[in-house]
Amino acid sequence: FPSASAPTAGTFIRERMMRVAEQVPVVIVAPQAWSPFDWLIRLIRKSFRPQAAVFERVGDVEVHRPRVLSIPGVMKHWDGALMARGSRSTVRRLAQSFRPTVIDAHFVYPDGYAASLLALDVDLPLTITLRGTKDLRLLGTDREPLMKAALDTASRVFSVSDSLTTDLGARLGQPAEKMLVVRNGVDLGKFHLVDRHLARRRLNLPDDAPVLISVGGLVEGKGFHRVIPLIRRLKDDFPEIRYLIVGGGSTQGDMRPELEALVRSEGVQENVVFCGRQMPDDLKWFYGAADVFALATRSEGWANVFLEAMACGLPVVTTLVGGNAQVVAKPSLGTLVPFWDSKAFEAALRDSLAPGRWDRAAILGHASSSGWEEPVSMLVDAFTRLSGSRAEVGQS
């Protein structure tokens, strides 16, 4: 959950749950990983595990951030149990003061597993949301049995895409009737069409240059290093091309030094622009300055950035993995390329940059029908049903 020290962390969870909070009371528990060795890592990675206030109020919603022990790089099998232990006193106190009727967790491990232990501790029904690559990477590891145990404990399992229902939920033994696909939405107040000339002037970009953009954490899975070599080849037909890389490091790593070295080796220093991490309210200017959104991603659950780009009028070129086909649902919205076919991705970018190739009004129309109203309604209904079932059991 975002904080002043990590304002872009978990923004998709905040967007969802703050809307749920408009209809039902919500309190947030966002455990903060900590270890006595963190200061050593910060000598190399200054942004590693920024610590936020242990309590704050976001609008009418309380946010509690208990500190939980997590040793960097080792003992990951224990992270879930340690997260539950470090959060237990907070959750027990809230069970008495706030009197919740459902615990809602995001990601299966360690968060969902910790929540499953806490739900049993305070005797509450549990929901867990499958969100993507963070959990998929743990299949086949010593965390997989713990992930299955967490989902088995849950009364309802949400998934942001059909692919996650199959690739994660079904693989971990969850019956179809227990699963519910609840897509992410897009905030049309933050992401919308802006004046292209003004956007380019703000970013110091030439008016007549073709511009590609990618947004995401600077990690291997997002594929920035797969796009950069294509820029060198695209320069033959588009000498003034610009490629905007928007994002920064994350808990999974920070490839910026490697990406900068790749830019130099490919000779595209004048064409690739590292824009850094941007606040959600500012992203529309970066989308608005571009012609095409491109993401050579290795795997995805539901990529919110695709809907954000579409809400700003951009077509999407991405890979045919995970839930991408569910977001880029029609050829009029973009192009899906098998992973990893560099020639096909390059061809798709060339085609996408052709003048008049896209019906921007159709793209904007699709985004306008992909707001948060439907998914939030589904969630509130599910939470209400679980709360009602619990009340009936208590009365009997």
Side-chain angles (χ1 to χ4, degrees), residues 102 156 158 180 377-387:
V102 178
R156 173 69 90 173
F158 303 124
L180 179 64
S377 177
M378 294 172 68
L379 290 166
V380 170
D381 179 67
F383 295 145
T384 301
R385 288 175 183 271
L386 285 175
S387 298

Side-chain angles (χ1 to χ4, degrees), residues 23-221:
Q23 300 187 39
V24 297
V26 170
V27 64
I28 304 293
V29 178
Q32 298 191 84
W34 166 89
S35 85
F37 312 109
D38 289 358
W39 68 274
L40 288 171
I41 299 177
R42 290 195 190 102
L43 295 177
I44 303 171
R45 290 173 52 194
K46 293 182 179 180
S47 61
F48 181 73
R49 289 184 177 176
Q51 295 296 295
V54 296
F55 173 80
E56 67 174 332
R57 190 177 294 275
V58 180
D60 294 328
V61 177
E62 291 183 0
V63 181
H64 301 261
R65 296 191 178 88
R67 192 169 70 170
V68 301
L69 179 64
S70 174
I71 307 300
V74 298
M75 297 175 59
K76 298 296 102 180
H77 182 81
W78 291 98
D79 274 358
L82 289 169
M83 181 178 286
R85 180 176 181 178
S87 305
R88 184 169 289 121
S89 62
T90 300
V91 172
R92 285 179 174 176
R93 175 166 46 83
L94 291 171
Q96 295 299 315
S97 61
F98 181 68
R99 301 186 68 81
T101 55
V102 178
I103 292 181
D104 177 53
H106 297 254
F107 297 105
V108 186
Y109 192 88
D111 316 71
Y113 180 71
S116 72
L117 300 178
L118 294 167
L120 292 172
D121 184 60
V122 296
D123 189 26
L124 287 174
L126 169 69
T127 64
I128 297 177
T129 295
L130 313 181
R131 288 198 164 273
T133 55
K134 181 175 181 287
D135 289 320
L136 286 169
R137 290 196 308 270
L138 299 180
L139 293 174
T141 71
D142 61 356
R143 266 73 35 101
E144 183 170 330
L146 302 178
M147 294 165 70
K148 185 180 188 308
L151 295 182
D152 287 346
T153 301
S155 299
R156 173 69 90 173
V157 177
F158 303 124
S159 172
V160 295
S161 68
D162 291 335
S163 65
L164 281 175
T165 299
T166 301
D167 298 342
L168 193 55
R171 174 164 172 174
L172 293 175
Q174 300 309 297
E177 60 270 19
K178 186 175 174 178
M179 304 286 298
L180 179 64
V181 175
V182 182
R183 64 165 176 82
N184 286 334
V186 61
D187 186 338
L188 300 172
K190 291 179 181 175
F191 301 100
H192 53 79
L193 202 62
V194 297
D195 181 83
R196 182 174 179 272
H197 172 74
L198 179 59
R200 292 199 171 193
R201 190 168 62 188
R202 285 173 65 106
L203 302 182
N204 197 30
L205 295 170
D207 265 346
D208 56 351
V211 178
L212 306 176
I213 184 172
S214 295
V215 179
L218 302 186
V219 296
E220 193 281 336

Side-chain angles (χ1 to χ4, degrees), residues 144-345:
E144 183 170 330
L146 302 178
M147 294 165 70
K148 185 180 188 308
L151 295 182
D152 287 346
T153 301
S155 299
R156 173 69 90 173
V157 177
F158 303 124
S159 172
V160 295
S161 68
D162 291 335
S163 65
L164 281 175
T165 299
T166 301
D167 298 342
L168 193 55
R171 174 164 172 174
L172 293 175
Q174 300 309 297
E177 60 270 19
K178 186 175 174 178
M179 304 286 298
L180 179 64
V181 175
V182 182
R183 64 165 176 82
N184 286 334
V186 61
D187 186 338
L188 300 172
K190 291 179 181 175
F191 301 100
H192 53 79
L193 202 62
V194 297
D195 181 83
R196 182 174 179 272
H197 172 74
L198 179 59
R200 292 199 171 193
R201 190 168 62 188
R202 285 173 65 106
L203 302 182
N204 197 30
L205 295 170
D207 265 346
D208 56 351
V211 178
L212 306 176
I213 184 172
S214 295
V215 179
L218 302 186
V219 296
E220 193 281 336
K222 295 302 180 182
F224 298 99
H225 61 296
R226 289 183 272 273
V227 177
I228 289 171
L230 305 184
I231 301 301
R232 175 178 55 80
R233 305 208 291 260
L234 289 168
K235 280 180 65 176
D236 293 340
D237 293 327
F238 306 100
E240 299 301 314
I241 192 170
R242 297 292 189 275
Y243 177 38
L244 308 183
I245 295 178
V246 181
S250 72
T251 55
Q252 301 171 35
D254 185 353
M255 287 187 66
R256 179 154 180 169
E258 295 95 320
L259 295 175
E260 290 176 336
L262 181 59
V263 166
R264 291 191 295 270
S265 67
E266 294 287 342
V268 290
Q269 297 95 317
E270 300 300 317
N271 307 92
V272 178
V273 183
F274 289 91
C275 304
R277 185 183 287 110
Q278 299 296 323
M279 294 297 294
D281 287 341
D282 296 325
L283 275 173
K284 62 181 177 292
W285 297 108
F286 292 83
Y287 289 127
D291 299 296
V292 177
F293 184 88
L295 198 65
T297 185
R298 177 180 294 278
S299 63
E300 287 290 349
W302 178 284
N304 276 30
V305 287
F306 297 159
L307 280 180
E308 293 172 3
M310 292 178 198
C312 297
L314 296 186
V316 173
V317 175
T318 190
T319 48
L320 187 57
V321 299
N324 288 358
Q326 196 172 350
V327 190
V328 189
K330 297 180 287 187
S332 58
L333 303 174
T335 305
L336 295 164
V337 175
F339 184 89
W340 170 239
D341 187 331
S342 62
K343 290 184 178 179
F345 205 92

